[in-house]
Amino acid sequence: MQLLQTVDNAQMPPVQQAQPTTRKRRWIARLDWWLLAALVVALAVRLYSITYQSIWLDEAYSVFVVKFDLAFIWNFTVHFDQHPPLYYLLLHQWVGIFGDSLFSVRLLSVAFAVPSVWLIYLLAGRLFNRTTGQVAAFILAVSPFHIWYSQETRMYSMVVFFVLLSAYFLVRGLEQNRPLVWIAFVLFTVLAIYSDYSAFYYVVGSGLYSLYRISRKPRQAIPVVLAYVGVGLAYAPWIGVFLTQFSTVYSGFWIKPPTFSTVWNTFLSFSSQDSPYQFLNTVIVVVLLSWVFVVPDKRIPQRRQAYLFLVVFMLAPIMVSLVFSLKQPIYLTRTVISAAIPFYILLARAIVGFKSVPLGAIFLVPLVLLNLASLSQSTSTTIKEDWRGTVNYVAAHAQPTDLIIFNAPYVEMPFDYFWRDQASQRGLTKVERRGYPADETLAHAGKSEPLNLSKALAEHKRVWVVTSHAEGEDPAGIEDRLIYKLFNRPPTEIQFKDIKVFFFEQTS
C-alpha cells in the first residue's frame, strides 16, 4: 500500500508545476483590455504625424534654451523667462540623450501624455468605478486637444501628468489618510507647480475642496494642513522668482479680454478641437454635461463628493484666470489645461450614467468620430507658424553674400532651427543673419551691438527681411523705410503662415 501510494504520488503532476499557468491566467484575467487598447490608441495617434507641423516660436525657444548647461538654464529661467525651470532642465537631459530633431524634442511630451491616459483611468475609477475609468481613458486617448499639446515641445502635457498624479493621491489621502499617500500628494503637487504656473489654478481648486472635506471631518484637518504646508515649504525658494515673473507677464500680456464665448470655446476645444462639425459637437457636450448633473447616483454621499470634487477641479482654473483677467487679460485655453481632466471624467460619467450600453454608445461613438475628424482636420492643414516652409524658400533662393534681417531678436530662434541643416547642404553657412535692433544675445555667444542698418545695407546687394509677430501694416519698413529708400526696386513679398518674407535686391 505504501509502495502503491508512493508510485501514485510520483505519477501525479506536482502542484508547483501547475502554478505558473494558473498565475499567468490570473495575470491575464486582471488585465484591463479596454485600458490597454486606449493606451495603444493614445500612443499611435500621438506619434502619427508628430513632425507634420512646423516648429513654432515657443517650441524653438524651448529647444534653444536647453542647448546650454544646467547652471545657465537655471539662471536664465530665473532672470529672463516666465516659466518654472523643471521642464527645461528635463528637456536638456532628454536632448543630450536623444538629440534635438523635431521628432525627438516632441517625443518627451508624448512620454508624459500616454501614461496620463492610465492615470485618468485610475482617478476616474477611484472616484466612481472601473467602467467610468475606461471611458474616461478612451476619451483622453483620442482627445485632439490633448494630442495637440502632446505633440508640442512645451510643458503642458507634463503638467497634466503631474496634476493627475496629485489629484489621484489627494482623493486617496482624503479616503485613507495614510502618511505615504500624503507624501506622494505633496511630491507630485510640487512637481506640477515647478512644471508650469497653470498648476496653481489646480492647487486653488484642490485646496477649496480639501477645506470642504475637513469642515465635514475635522479629524482630517492635521494631515491635510501638513500636506499643504509641505507644498508651500518646497516651493518657498522659488516664490520670489515667481512673483517677479508674474508681475512681468501680468503687466505685459497682449490678449483680448475674455468673454462668455471665450470660456465656452475652451470647453469646445477640450471636447473636439478644430472639429469641422462644431454644431453637433456642441449638442453632444451640452446634453452630456446636463445629464451628468441629474444622474441618480448623486444620492450616495460618496458619489456626491466625487461630483463636487470634479466641479471644483474644473471650474477653479477658469474662474481664477477670469478674476485675474478683470485687470489685465491673461486667459488662454492652454493655461487652464488642467480643467480638461475633470471635464473628460464628467463626460465619461454621463455616458456610463445612462446605464444602457446602446444609449451610451449613441453619445460615445459620435464623440470619438468627431475627435477623429478633428484630428484629420489639424493634420491636413498647417496651423502653427510655417518656419520650415519659410526656411526652405529662403535657402532655395539665397546666395552666400546675402543678408538676412529679422524684425525681432527672438524671431531668429525658429528660423535658425531649420536653417542650420539647409545652410550646410546648400553652402550658405556664411550668410549673415542679424536680429533687429540687436541680435538675440544667446544666439551669438554674448552681448551684441545694435545693427547698424545703413552700414549693413551698403555692404549687401541682396537683403531678406523675415518678419513674424510684427505690429503695423509694414513690418519691413525698418527705420523709417530705410531699406525702401536705399534699394531702387520694390521688394518681393512672400507670405507663409504667420510669417512674411521681403526680398530686396539692388540693381545696377
Side-chain angles (χ1 to χ4, degrees):
M1 290 288 294
Q2 205 169 13
L3 179 61
L4 289 173
Q5 189 174 8
T6 303
V7 173
D8 289 341
N9 289 340
Q11 293 175 345
M12 291 176 62
V15 177
Q16 286 88 356
Q17 294 179 4
Q19 282 182 352
T21 304
T22 304
R23 288 176 182 171
K24 183 177 180 181
R25 288 175 180 172
R26 288 177 181 173
W27 179 77
I28 294 176
R30 283 198 300 266
L31 274 178
D32 191 321
W33 294 102
W34 280 104
L35 172 63
L36 185 60
L39 289 170
V40 171
V41 170
L43 179 63
V45 296
R46 282 157 180 78
L47 291 181
Y48 173 71
S49 70
I50 189 173
T51 60
Y52 173 80
Q53 295 282 356
S54 171
I55 203 169
W56 72 290
L57 180 61
D58 285 8
E59 287 186 290
Y61 177 87
S62 298
V63 178
F64 185 82
V65 170
V66 301
K67 291 180 180 180
F68 300 90
D69 59 45
L70 294 176
F72 180 90
I73 294 171
W74 180 271
N75 290 328
F76 181 82
T77 307
V78 168
H79 295 103
F80 301 105
D81 198 56
Q82 289 84 41
H83 294 88
L86 183 59
Y87 176 76
Y88 296 129
L89 297 175
L90 187 58
L91 182 62
H92 171 82
Q93 302 297 335
W94 182 272
V95 168
I97 298 172
F98 300 104
D100 64 350
S101 68
L102 195 55
F103 177 84
S104 173
V105 296
R106 288 177 174 171
L107 189 62
L108 177 59
S109 295
V110 175
F112 283 106
V114 174
S116 295
V117 173
W118 173 59
L119 293 177
I120 201 172
Y121 165 85
L122 293 178
L123 178 59
R126 170 70 61 173
L127 291 170
F128 297 104
N129 54 34
R130 183 179 182 181
T131 305
T132 306
Q134 292 170 334
V135 177
F138 204 78
I139 290 175
L140 181 62
V142 298
S143 164
F145 178 76
H146 192 251
I147 294 168
W148 180 266
Y149 290 105
S150 303
Q151 295 181 333
E152 191 164 280
T153 313
R154 296 297 282 169
M155 62 286 298
Y156 302 112
S157 72
M158 185 169 80
V159 74
V160 168
F161 175 81
F162 287 128
V163 165
L164 274 165
L165 280 167
S166 173
Y168 173 74
F169 283 105
L170 174 63
V171 172
R172 282 192 58 181
L174 293 172
E175 289 177 358
Q176 302 171 345
N177 207 20
R178 294 179 181 176
L180 288 178
V181 174
W182 284 115
I183 291 173
F185 165 73
V186 171
L187 172 64
F188 293 119
T189 304
V190 171
L191 289 173
I193 57 180
Y194 270 111
S195 299
D196 188 54
Y197 292 135
S198 64
F200 276 115
Y201 297 148
Y202 154 74
V203 173
V204 171
S206 68
L208 291 173
Y209 179 74
S210 299
L211 286 174
Y212 163 77
R213 287 295 297 268
I214 62 179
S215 69
R216 299 178 66 88
K217 291 185 178 180
R219 291 178 298 177
Q220 290 184 321
I222 293 178
V224 171
V225 171
L226 287 176
Y228 281 94
V229 169
V231 172
L233 291 175
Y235 199 72
W238 192 258
I239 289 178
V241 178
F242 163 72
L243 293 176
T244 301
Q245 292 180 342
F246 179 77
S247 63
T248 302
V249 173
Y250 194 59
S251 62
F253 234 52
W254 65 94
I255 60 176
K256 296 179 180 179
T259 62
F260 174 80
S261 176
T262 306
V263 177
W264 179 243
N265 287 333
T266 294
F267 290 105
L268 291 181
S269 295
F270 288 168
S271 175
S272 190
Q273 179 171 277
D274 300 318
S275 172
Y277 308 103
Q278 283 292 353
F279 176 76
L280 180 58
N281 179 54
T282 302
V283 171
I284 292 175
V285 170
V286 169
V287 171
L288 290 178
L289 288 181
S290 301
W291 169 246
V292 78
F293 292 106
V294 297
V295 174
D297 64 357
K298 287 188 178 60
R299 288 174 290 186
I300 304 172
Q302 186 178 359
R303 293 289 169 80
R304 284 203 303 269
Q305 293 175 359
Y307 285 113
L308 178 62
F309 170 71
L310 291 174
V311 170
V312 174
F313 187 0
M314 181 175 68
L315 294 183
I318 294 172
M319 297 306 296
V320 174
S321 184
L322 288 175
V323 168
F324 280 116
S325 295
L326 292 176
K327 181 179 179 181
Q328 175 66 43
I330 61 171
Y331 188 98
L332 291 171
T333 297
R334 66 174 180 263
T335 62
V336 295
I337 191 171
S338 60
I341 298 169
F343 176 78
Y344 295 139
I345 297 176
L346 286 172
L347 290 183
R349 188 58 195 162
I351 292 170
V352 174
F354 287 117
K355 296 183 179 179
S356 167
V357 174
L359 189 57
I362 288 176
F363 289 90
L364 180 59
V365 172
L367 190 63
V368 172
L369 292 177
L370 284 171
N371 286 342
L372 295 177
S374 178
L375 285 175
S376 176
Q377 179 83 3
S378 62
T379 54
S380 61
T381 305
T382 301
I383 299 174
K384 298 181 181 180
E385 301 160 3
D386 187 15
W387 286 103
R388 180 164 44 202
T390 301
V391 171
N392 288 343
Y393 179 87
V394 174
H397 297 85
Q399 296 179 7
T401 57
D402 288 357
L403 169 66
I404 302 175
I405 300 175
F406 304 96
N407 70 299
Y410 51 79
V411 175
E412 292 181 74
M413 294 180 181
F415 186 92
D416 283 356
Y417 180 83
F418 293 108
W419 177 259
R420 58 187 181 182
D421 292 333
Q422 290 283 354
S424 61
Q425 293 174 11
R426 298 176 181 271
L428 301 172
T429 55
K430 294 184 179 180
V431 170
E432 185 178 359
R433 305 185 313 283
R434 294 298 305 270
Y436 184 85
D439 293 326
E440 171 54 56
T441 301
L442 298 178
H444 297 272
K447 214 167 187 179
S448 63
E449 295 295 327
L451 175 65
N452 187 327
L453 188 59
S454 298
K455 180 181 178 182
L457 295 177
E459 295 173 351
H460 297 84
K461 293 186 177 181
R462 291 163 46 99
V463 177
W464 302 82
V465 180
V466 181
T467 68
S468 182
H469 298 270
E471 297 180 0
E473 297 181 357
D474 184 21
I478 297 172
E479 283 193 17
D480 193 27
R481 300 176 62 86
L482 180 60
I483 303 180
Y484 289 91
K485 295 176 182 178
L486 294 179
F487 284 69
N488 53 12
R489 192 164 72 179
T492 301
E493 182 178 336
I494 309 97
Q495 177 75 53
F496 297 91
K497 174 63 177 177
D498 291 335
I499 303 162
K500 281 186 178 180
V501 177
F502 300 87
F503 174 62
F504 295 84
E505 185 176 17
Q506 289 183 351
T507 57
S508 57

